[in-house]
Every structure is written in C-alpha cells, then in structure tokens.
Amino acid sequence: MEALEDKATVFSYYVDQLINELIGDLMEEKGISKAAAAKLVYAGGYQIYCNLDTDIQDIVDDVYENTNNLPYQSAGGQQLQSAITILDPQTGYVVAVSGGMGEKT
C-alpha cells in the first residue's frame, strides 16, 4: 500500500481510472469531500478488488510506451496517437487500458 501513498508513483491508466472511480464513489456514498475520499482510498485500510489482468496490462504498457510501435505520422508530421481498452470476452470486464502512446508520466 505504500506505493499508492507515494504521490511520485506513476500508475497505469487502469489504476488511475480505478482510483478516480473509487474516490467518486466514496464521495457520493459517504457525502464527503474529495480530499477525505482520497485519504480513505490511500490510507483507509480498504482491500480493493478489480478486474485488472496484470499480465495483459504489462503487455499493453510495453507496447504503448515504445513510440516505435506506432511510427506513422500525420501529414503535418505529428505522431499519430492510439489508445486501447481490452475486455475479457467471457465477462465483458475491462482487464487492461492505455490512454496513449509514449511513456506515461
């Protein structure tokens, strides 16, 4: 849990979205501020379960961090962008996500 408390940690797009949804859900359910909800997420002792498949997420991260995997450029010379959401075909659950090409900072 220490890594989640470290503000310098760069999470995957999946984990970022999961944290945002958890904070929003806690704000709504408990009627608390965003800061209070974030404190509960990071230090409230919750066990959080999700559908993330770490093997698939690692593959997605490896592919999307390397901009050579999408070497195409627009007519103006800018690198084209891509994003991906991977679903488990049996359940429909989201198991991996990337929000764009290049190293996530």
Side-chain angles (χ1 to χ4, degrees), residues 5-55:
E5 296 173 25
D6 179 1
K7 300 254 188 246
T9 300
V10 177
F11 299 116
S12 69
Y13 286 99
Y14 189 107
V15 172
D16 279 348
Q17 185 59 34
L18 176 64
I19 290 169
N20 288 336
E21 288 184 23
L22 288 170
I23 289 171
D25 289 348
L26 285 168
M27 288 171 60
E28 184 177 325
E29 184 175 314
K30 296 186 177 289
I32 58 178
S33 70
K34 186 174 184 177
K39 186 174 182 179
L40 284 175
V41 168
Y42 290 111
Y46 289 110
Q47 290 185 355
I48 300 167
Y49 299 90
C50 65
N51 298 302
L52 173 66
D53 184 318
T54 55
D55 292 333

Side-chain angles (χ1 to χ4, degrees), residues 8-17 57 61 64-66 97-105:
T9 300
V10 177
F11 299 116
S12 69
Y13 286 99
Y14 189 107
V15 172
D16 279 348
Q17 185 59 34
Q57 185 66 55
D61 290 342
Y64 276 75
E65 284 176 4
N66 183 348
V97 174
S98 181
M101 295 297 296
E103 184 177 353
K104 186 173 181 290
T105 57

